[in-house]
Amino acid sequence: MTLLEKVKANLILEHSADDELLQLYISASVSYAESYQHLTENYYTDHQMPPTTEQAVIMLSSHFYESRDGSTGGFFSDNVQAGQQVWNTVNLLLRLDRDWKV
């Protein structure tokens, strides 16, 4: 299953009208993951993505999609700090596979 398919499953999205938009969000999320983990740009093009990083990318891509109108949709939407909760969770997941060298 591709990342696009996994993000769409996470969003419970069955149409393909937004696939191009979702792919942009996935690319941005992968780029964020590589930067946060101190990896080279396009690292995950040539290397397998660990499951925790993949989950972070799925969550972040979904958040970008659900929040594209400035709202905080999704699982944490009933909380005023919804956006921050998503970022905290994503960063915790990414930290597990981070390259800690300085």
Side-chain angles (χ1 to χ4, degrees):
M1 187 179 266
T2 67
L3 267 175
L4 176 60
E5 292 168 328
K6 290 177 183 180
V7 170
K8 288 175 74 171
N10 188 60
L11 291 165
I12 313 170
L13 193 63
E14 296 181 1
H15 63 80
S16 59
D18 290 336
D19 283 5
E20 189 175 330
L21 178 62
L22 285 170
Q23 197 57 60
L24 291 172
Y25 294 147
I26 291 168
S27 295
S29 298
V30 170
S31 180
Y32 177 79
E34 290 168 340
S35 177
Y36 187 92
Q37 293 174 335
H38 302 147
L39 302 172
T40 58
E41 187 176 349
N42 298 317
Y43 178 86
Y44 289 121
T45 301
D46 300 323
H47 298 84
Q48 183 160 346
M49 190 177 290
T52 49
T53 296
E54 184 176 88
Q55 184 59 39
V57 167
I58 291 166
M59 288 180 69
L60 189 54
S61 301
S62 297
H63 174 66
F64 288 157
Y65 182 79
E66 291 179 327
S67 303
R68 66 192 180 281
D69 63 354
S71 68
T72 57
F75 182 76
F76 299 116
S77 64
D78 63 339
N79 186 313
V80 294
Q81 294 180 326
Q84 188 60 49
Q85 287 179 312
V86 172
W87 283 101
N88 289 344
T89 303
V90 165
N91 289 339
L92 284 171
L93 287 167
L94 292 176
R95 201 171 294 145
L96 295 172
D97 300 310
R98 190 174 197 174
D99 185 354
W100 289 94
K101 69 181 176 197
V102 182

